[in-house]
Amino acid sequence: MNSGLVCGLTGGIGSGKSYVARLLHTLYNIPVYDCDREARRLMVESDTIRRRLAALIGPEAYTADGQLCKPVIARYLFASPQHATQVNAIVHPAVKADIRSWAEQQRQAGASYMLVESAILVEAGFLDAVDFVVAVEAPEELRLERAMQRDNSTAQQTRQRMDSQLTDAQRRAHSHFIITNDGQPLQPQLQALMQQLQARL
Ligand code: ADP
């Protein structure tokens, strides 16, 4: 029986999580679960989420053709800080359950290692669904610069997102391995990570 190891990959905005996930996928053929992308998918595809979001926000949360009505959701989230907590309480448990079933499928398909990428791995309660945690870290100024360039956003918008996330020190407290993405080579660090994962399997 292949037990498989589910590795959470976290880090603040602009730290280079997705970049590292892509490298691990390319170099070691590790399947990647992108929590952001899958959460957006589930908000459209999951009947339970649809029912609960429509009950919370109103039926106008979805358009006539069944898509998420982003302006309505954005308005709801903006109206009160508690609203994000309420939406998260609906979406995050569904994502966690989906991570588990995805990992099971990957195991059955023979994967030894799996990656679960999320900026909010800790905050969203996804730690329960992973066996090992890797944090990607980079100096704040570099993260800011990378994220602004990628998203075409202002420093203020990017800092706001940074401030809503945990600090590197807080994420570190939950991590088994740190990748430093400050311009130094990543491949030796990824090799060291793979050795640690192999030892855990
Ligand atoms: P995150 O997912 O943590 O928000 P990304 O992985 O999207 O961050 O990285 C932010 C931006 O910086 C992306 O455009 C990415 O291609 C770039 N980037 C990150 N790390 C590196 C690196 N080591 N070398 C070159 N570009 C990088």
Side-chain angles (χ1 to χ4, degrees), residues 11-20 22 117 146-147 150 181 186:
I13 178 170
S15 60
K17 288 178 301 300
S18 306
Y19 190 87
V20 167
R22 266 198 305 278
E117 178 199 335
R146 283 176 181 153
R150 182 195 57 194
N181 185 22
L186 287 171

Side-chain angles (χ1 to χ4, degrees), residues 82-175:
Q82 277 150 15
H83 288 178
T85 312
Q86 290 169 323
V87 170
N88 289 344
I90 293 171
V91 177
H92 291 169
V95 173
K96 184 153 75 176
D98 195 59
I99 292 171
R100 290 196 165 119
S101 71
W102 172 83
E104 192 46 44
Q105 277 173 20
Q106 298 300 321
R107 275 191 197 100
Q108 281 176 14
S112 301
Y113 308 107
M114 291 145 263
L115 271 185
V116 174
E117 178 199 335
S118 173
I120 54 167
L121 194 78
V122 177
E123 299 94 308
F126 299 155
L127 285 179
D128 296 349
V130 303
D131 306 307
F132 190 93
V133 179
V134 177
V136 182
E137 295 185 355
E140 204 169 290
E141 285 309 308
L142 185 57
R143 288 173 50 198
L144 193 68
E145 196 181 300
R146 283 176 181 153
M148 282 169 60
Q149 199 159 36
R150 182 195 57 194
D151 301 337
N152 211 1
S153 54
T154 65
Q156 196 197 6
Q157 286 164 333
T158 311
R159 279 207 189 278
Q160 230 167 29
R161 288 191 59 193
M162 260 182 196
D163 292 345
S164 75
Q165 299 175 339
L166 294 184
T167 62
D168 279 355
Q170 286 169 319
R171 271 185 295 268
R172 203 174 254 246
H174 298 277
S175 304

Side-chain angles (χ1 to χ4, degrees), residues 21-69:
R22 266 198 305 278
L23 267 179
L24 284 166
H25 178 72
T26 307
L27 294 172
Y28 300 101
N29 199 27
I30 303 179
V32 178
Y33 186 100
D34 175 342
C35 290
D36 255 8
R37 191 183 60 207
E38 299 305 325
R40 284 195 299 273
R41 176 183 63 79
L42 287 168
M43 285 170 85
V44 176
E45 287 182 5
S46 154
D47 288 339
T48 314
I49 295 186
R50 294 178 71 92
R51 202 168 6 90
R52 296 187 64 194
L53 280 183
L56 179 69
I57 300 172
E60 62 277 17
Y62 290 92
T63 60
D65 64 354
Q67 295 304 305
L68 206 58
C69 187

